[in-house]
Amino acid sequence: MSQSVNSKPSVKASRRQFIAAGALASVVLAEDAVWSQTKAPTANKPMLSLAGYAYDRVLGLVDGRVPVKGFQTNFDQADIYTLNANAMGGKQTWSVQEIGLHPYMLAYANDMFRDYALVPVFPLRMFRHRSIFIRTDRGIKTPADLRGKTVATPGYSQSSLTWIRGFLQHEYGVLPEDMKWIVTTKSSDQGAVSKNESVLPQDVPIVPGPAGQDESDLLRSGDVDAVFHALEPKAYIDGDPNVERLFGDYRKIERDYFTKTGIFPIMHAVAIRRDVVKRFPQLPVAVFNAYSQAKHLMYSNLQKQTAFMMSLPWAGKELEETLDLMGENFWPYGIKPNRKALEALFLYSFEQGLSKKQLTIEELFFPTTLELEEAKL
């Protein structure tokens, strides 16, 4: 009997400004589920429902140009708030899905969460020097000036915030306990902060934010000196004259950071339900290869589009400089090219008092994916 999957309704994506809404990859497998009335499974191939964002690097999966070997595919779209909640506290609708890397780490280390494991595919990664916003009237000119200041943030243990505190400590000598923290219960992008984005350490001065106020409200009113946030707070977007980035030329600072450390910070990974892999042991490798192939399509399209399809006048120059600095495969998958970044985040999480133990790559990733390498460009 052909296997089928239950088609779930799409989830409205959040207005996150640093990512385009869309559907990435995830898998739902259910032997007794009913597939969409408009699409029937092909004989001998199980249906896979994929969920996440439609980044350019996964569009080949979204539009069907790239298959997951051995499976048919369908795509749902969901924002990271929904994806995290679904996997770590919800219905676990998807068998393969994008997931916040650090929230997953905390669920694994602190809550014995074992329902999913990872494949070394990283749909979202971002340098985070750009994510520190300051009041211009508080004398903050350098990272050292953050000592003694009050910082607001939604979701203290988000991936982005853990990276920020990590580079402040290791590159500038500014420790989390050097600052006072206000953790808000809401974000100015209206996103919901999950349990595993709200883990708080001991021995760091942290208080909850006022009811009904987000991080942007506190920055605009002057109740805090700075905001650390993955997204641009609304006060900054609105052009408040008292709000600026700490690192004005963040592009240069971030490029210098990569040159020095070789780290391209990872925010999200791809997770697969362990019970599904028991039924389909080939799935982790098939998913890795499909994401890699989709990304290679992005590289090819990027080369073509910068010439005449993009509206940015110097997009081609930006691509050239990225290739010069980071190499042809500047968005790498696999353990080997990402080991340093992964182990840095494991260290930051543990030394910041968030993870109860310092995790290892071998714990979190499917064994069949540890030695996988991408095909050459």
Side-chain angles (χ1 to χ4, degrees), residues 245-370:
R245 282 188 165 96
L246 172 61
F247 298 102
D249 190 357
Y250 63 82
R251 182 180 182 276
K252 180 182 184 305
I253 299 295
E254 291 171 351
R255 286 171 62 88
D256 290 346
Y257 169 80
F258 178 81
T259 299
K260 178 182 178 181
T261 66
I263 292 175
F264 188 3
I266 297 168
M267 305 298 141
H268 297 177
V270 170
I272 308 180
R273 262 187 16 224
R274 292 179 187 269
D275 64 318
V276 177
V277 175
K278 286 183 179 179
R279 295 169 54 205
F280 301 99
Q282 77 278 20
L283 185 58
V285 174
V287 166
F288 177 88
N289 289 335
Y291 274 87
S292 180
Q293 291 169 30
K295 186 190 65 179
H296 280 61
L297 282 179
M298 177 271 291
Y299 286 146
S300 177
N301 291 336
L302 197 58
Q303 291 277 6
K304 298 172 184 176
Q305 291 174 0
T306 54
F308 58 90
M309 294 296 289
M310 289 186 181
S311 300
L312 293 173
W314 296 283
K317 181 64 173 175
E318 182 66 29
L319 177 59
E320 290 174 6
E321 293 186 0
T322 298
L323 294 172
D324 287 343
L325 178 67
M326 304 178 73
E328 290 185 341
N329 191 9
F330 54 83
W331 200 286
Y333 299 154
I335 295 299
K336 185 177 179 180
N338 291 290
R339 180 174 290 276
K340 187 172 185 180
L342 290 167
E343 291 180 345
L345 186 59
F346 296 167
L347 172 63
Y348 298 163
S349 181
F350 181 64
E351 69 184 7
Q352 290 174 26
L354 302 174
S355 175
K356 291 180 180 178
K357 57 177 289 189
Q358 188 165 336
L359 295 166
T360 67
I361 287 169
E362 289 72 22
E363 289 179 271
L364 302 188
F365 291 85
F366 284 105
T368 55
T369 67
L370 294 177

Side-chain angles (χ1 to χ4, degrees), residues 2 20 33 66 68 89 91 102 122 169 194 211 217 237 255 310 365:
S2 174
V66 175
V68 177
K91 298 179 180 179
H102 193 241
F122 308 107
Q169 178 173 341
S194 72
D217 296 331
I237 295 171
R255 286 171 62 88
M310 289 186 181
F365 291 85

Side-chain angles (χ1 to χ4, degrees), residues 195-226:
K195 169 189 172 185
N196 285 300
E197 293 175 321
S198 303
V199 177
L200 303 180
Q202 298 179 352
D203 303 322
V204 176
I206 301 174
V207 298
Q213 294 192 50
D214 59 39
E215 85 295 339
S216 179
D217 296 331
L218 298 177
L219 190 62
R220 192 190 299 272
S221 66
D223 290 335
V224 300
D225 306 304

